[in-house]
Amino acid sequence: MRIDAVQAQRVLVDGAFRPATVLVHQGRIQAIEPVDHEVAGVVLRAPDTAYVVPGVVDTHVHINEPGRTEWEGFVSATEAAALGGATTLVDMPLNSIPPTTTVEHLELKQEAASGELMVDVGFWGGAVPDNLGDLAPLWEAGVFGFKCFLAPSGVDEFPPLDPDLFRAALVEVARFDGLMIVHAEDAAVLEAAPVTPGGSYRDFLLSRPDTAELTAIQRVLDGARDTGARVHILHLSSARALPAIADAKAEGLRVTVETCPHYLCFAAETIPDASSQFKCCPPIRDAGNREELWQGLRDGIIDMIVSDHSPSTAEEKGRGEGDLQQAWGGVSGLQVGFSAVAQEARRRNIPVADVSRWMSRNTADLVGLPTKGRIAVGADADLAVYDTGVELRVEAARLAHRNPISAYDGMRYGGRITRTVVRGNAIDVEHPDHRWGQQLRRPGS
């Protein structure tokens, strides 16, 4: 349904909620008027219990198509996104086959996405040992930056960068002022950590210690200092890294940091053994660490929250019959992330406006999309209605992503996304069946 306006008592404009009518024309926000402004056309009116926020811009999603479409695909991922209030995704370069490490591979990804998108989707490129010469062509072709690993990624076709190759890749990315995004766990630390087969979550946690993150993050910060490259630390799980990151920001290094809903919502001591739906790398740590991550967001050390939606088949998640060392690592939470974070924030007296900034504005700014992640004249009419008068009961079997597995299964939240608007098109969350999404390129490419 194409709409002409949204009216609500709480619309997030310039960082604060106020009554407003948001006028829409040709997919963009034309004007923001008083809430009683008369509109000729189709008006979406939000209930008084609802907040109208910019659509979530999720810059960390593994869609896996082509090649591992049985894990996830563009149709199922973008439907899950729309149902959860996300209107823009940026797809990770690995877990698809081939990975997005050359322009040719990017074109295969774009071809697979054609006509399949319910929300807008852009693409990250990858930095692997043998593609240094492909980084600049990928940048010119429109990727938003380059993901690399400093330890094994879990898939053979996307190997990690050793310290020398990582430094060389940073030099190359700095040359054209690109962006390097880093899975920051150190290979040597992980190799030295105790690995105990079995379902004990405590043992799994010991196999991915904080020091793996601390060592790798220091390498990233040192590399940014020495080369001038822009760097982004992916899925921060260890709050012990916050002081070093804060110092780097104070020094003026061009570094940004993300964390994820599962690190903010769960705690190691409450995760049952052999529950592979909670396994991710780096891992979910203890409750005290979780609270320090929340403080890191409040203090501005952590810049944003992204899903790191990383699904797999049930066979991969169940590999080893409960052995957490063998099961695929990744949390599927694309559809419920905003509602989960908003409730956890409310418990800590953190307003919805801050949640939206962390999940929409700051992520859009990371990838240079000035018309996304904000409700402002000239911005894309990408909106989400978050209604605290409606409860969300999560049932993994009813989530839209391809495989019915999620750490959020059974959770109940006092608020849910009831409407999502993608460039002026209101998606019916009960019957989502339209493909309004577009493929995005980095502005200027």
Side-chain angles (χ1 to χ4, degrees), residues 99-102 105 126-135 138 156-162 165-166 169:
T100 315
T101 52
T102 67
H105 294 175
V128 293
D130 62 355
N131 83 327
L132 196 66
D134 293 297
L135 300 184
L138 278 166
D156 292 340
E157 64 274 5
F158 202 95
L161 300 178
D162 66 24
L165 285 171
F166 177 60

Side-chain angles (χ1 to χ4, degrees), residues 185 201 205 208-213 237-239 262-263 266-269 271 282-290:
E185 287 184 287
Y201 189 80
L205 199 57
R208 316 290 298 206
D210 295 86
T211 48
E213 284 191 87
S237 86
S238 175
H262 39 278
Y263 301 133
F266 302 119
E269 52 267 46
I271 295 176
I284 298 166
R285 304 191 189 277
D286 61 66
N289 179 86
R290 178 186 62 195

Side-chain angles (χ1 to χ4, degrees), residues 1 79 83 118 426-436:
M1 178 177 65
E79 181 177 329
L83 295 175
M118 189 171 291
I427 293 170
D428 183 348
V429 297
E430 299 300 328
H431 306 283
D433 58 358
H434 295 286
R435 297 283 175 261
W436 287 305

Side-chain angles (χ1 to χ4, degrees), residues 79-104:
E79 181 177 329
L83 295 175
T87 54
T88 303
L89 308 180
V90 187
D91 172 64
M92 282 293 167
L94 73 156
N95 299 349
S96 57
I97 302 175
T100 315
T101 52
T102 67
V103 172
E104 180 184 5

Side-chain angles (χ1 to χ4, degrees), residues 188-403:
V189 173
L190 294 179
E191 288 171 7
V195 175
T196 304
S200 167
Y201 189 80
R202 180 179 180 276
D203 287 344
F204 170 66
L205 199 57
L206 291 173
S207 74
R208 316 290 298 206
D210 295 86
T211 48
E213 284 191 87
L214 303 183
T215 302
I217 287 170
Q218 192 59 57
R219 181 175 299 129
V220 174
L221 300 178
D222 290 344
R225 179 182 300 107
D226 294 344
T227 66
R230 289 190 294 142
V231 296
H232 178 71
I233 295 166
L234 298 166
H235 45 47
L236 180 70
S237 86
S238 175
R240 288 179 58 195
L242 291 173
I245 295 167
D247 288 346
K249 289 189 169 194
E251 182 184 338
L253 299 185
R254 296 195 295 170
V255 57
T256 49
V257 185
E258 69 184 35
T259 192
C260 304
H262 39 278
Y263 301 133
L264 299 169
C265 296
F266 302 119
E269 52 267 46
T270 63
I271 295 176
D273 288 344
S275 297
S276 61
Q277 67 269 33
F278 293 95
K279 178 187 173 180
C280 55
C281 299
I284 298 166
R285 304 191 189 277
D286 61 66
N289 179 86
R290 178 186 62 195
E291 298 313 310
E292 290 183 57
L293 291 177
W294 277 106
Q295 190 60 49
L297 284 161
R298 291 186 185 97
D299 293 341
I301 304 170
I302 302 173
D303 302 278
M304 61 200 73
I305 304 170
V306 298
S307 71
D308 190 10
H309 178 72
S310 185
S312 72
T313 61
E315 290 75 17
E316 286 295 316
K317 258 304 185 186
R319 187 163 16 113
E321 299 181 347
D323 184 347
L324 295 179
Q325 296 298 338
Q326 295 188 50
W328 177 258
V331 173
S332 299
L334 178 57
Q335 188 171 334
V336 300
F338 186 90
S339 295
V341 171
Q343 175 148 318
E344 290 296 324
R346 189 160 59 247
R347 289 173 177 162
R348 295 164 176 82
N349 296 315
I350 297 172
V352 174
D354 286 350
V355 174
S356 178
R357 174 166 49 85
W358 293 326
M359 300 186 76
S360 299
R361 180 66 175 261
N362 290 1
T363 45
D365 289 350
L366 172 72
V367 292
L369 291 175
T371 65
K372 301 290 189 183
R374 63 211 75 201
I375 299 176
V377 174
D380 290 350
D382 294 346
L383 308 167
V385 178
Y386 171 65
D387 191 349
T388 56
V390 181
E391 184 181 62
L392 173 61
R393 300 183 182 186
V394 182
E395 298 177 46
R398 300 185 67 180
L399 295 174
H401 67 262
R402 187 173 297 275
N403 290 279

